[in-house]
């Protein structure tokens, strides 16, 4: 869906991107305000004692003219400071780590609060992106490019870029596939988060083009 998205429509919006979006050819024109790096798999896996960026990522990050604010787990603070990334980027840390995090769909609820350990929404958008947006005071959150259909279509890539550039570890294939079925925990987690946000007076809307998400109200990006 990212390839079908006209980013000029959201030019005046505050924008969040995640993980590998820095590879997008329009990154410099989109100018995301925030780069969210929530995944422990991105740095080598849960409870790794030797965290590091995926091959090629750090170089690409430093090539960017536009410097987004980085959000990540406090677990990696020591690593960021060791490589000096905090000298070149503003970095904010949140608590997201085992054994303290819980799956949203198993709890059946979440408060989308960054003041304690974050809940695991099966996707960085829910786990870290939504709580950050709530904390910053936004009353409307619009999803763009959240296809929510990992491994559901044979022969289609899960990424908008070449899989050869995806040098980070990924969740086990069988787990990723079962998470994003029509009745999987990913869909359920979105429903729980959406309902919790509504109670706080915040709208969560999905403007993903042809996305598979069924538990969040749809909206056209041209009518935001």
């Amino acid at each position: 869906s990212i390839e079908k998205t006209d980013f000029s429509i959201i030019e005046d919006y505050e924008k969040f991107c995640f993980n590998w979006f820095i590879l997008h050819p329009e990154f410099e024109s989109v100018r995301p305000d925030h780069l969210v790096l929530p995944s422990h798999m991105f740095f080598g896996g849960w409870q790794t004692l030797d965290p590091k960026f995926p091959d090629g990522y750090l170089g690409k990050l430093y090539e960017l003219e536009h410097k987004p604010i980085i959000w990540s787990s406090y677990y990696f603070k020591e690593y960021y400071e060791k490589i000096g990334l905090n000298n070149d980027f503003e970095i904010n840390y949140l608590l997201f780590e085992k054994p303290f995090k819980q799956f949203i769909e198993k709890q059946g609820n979440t408060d989308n609060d960054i003041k304690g350990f974050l809940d695991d929404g099966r996707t960085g958008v829910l786990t870290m992106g939504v709580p950050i947006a709530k904390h910053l005071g936004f009353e409307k959150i619009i999803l763009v490019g959240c296809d929510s259909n990992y491994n559901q279509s044979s022969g289609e890539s899960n990424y908008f870029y070449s899989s050869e550039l995806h040098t980070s570890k990924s969740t086990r294939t069988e787990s990723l596939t079962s998470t994003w079925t029509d009745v999987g925990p990913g869909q359920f987690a979105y429903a729980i988060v959406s309902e919790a946000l509504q109670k706080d007076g915040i709208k969560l809307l999905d403007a993903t083009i042809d996305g598979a998400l069924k538990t969040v109200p749809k909206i056209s990006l041209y009518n935001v």
Side-chain angles (χ1 to χ4, degrees), residues 16-19 34-40 43 46 70-76 80 92-97 104 110 112-114 116-136 141 193:
F16 293 71
C17 70
F18 298 79
N19 298 334
H34 308 273
L35 171 61
V36 186
L37 304 174
S39 173
H40 280 243
F43 296 92
W46 287 102
I70 294 175
W71 299 77
S72 192
S73 171
Y74 184 79
Y75 190 89
F76 303 116
Y80 286 138
N92 294 308
Y93 300 100
L94 304 178
L95 296 173
F96 179 56
E97 54 200 66
I104 288 175
T110 184
N112 298 304
D113 197 340
I114 71 169
F117 284 97
L118 297 176
D119 296 324
D120 193 332
R122 304 277 183 173
T123 168
V125 173
L126 297 183
T127 300
M128 196 170 285
V130 166
I132 293 170
K134 177 186 174 184
H135 175 74
L136 294 178
I141 302 170
V193 168

Side-chain angles (χ1 to χ4, degrees), residues 9-10 12 17 33-34 36 39-40 57 75 84 88 95 102 105 135 159 161 168 179 187 200 208 211 213 217 220 224:
I9 301 172
I10 56 174
D12 296 328
C17 70
D33 302 274
H34 308 273
V36 186
S39 173
H40 280 243
Y57 191 90
Y75 190 89
D88 301 293
L95 296 173
Q102 301 293 328
E105 87 280 355
H135 175 74
Y159 317 113
Y161 48 88
S168 55
T179 294
Q187 295 274 358
D200 290 323
T208 299
L213 191 58
S220 169
V224 295

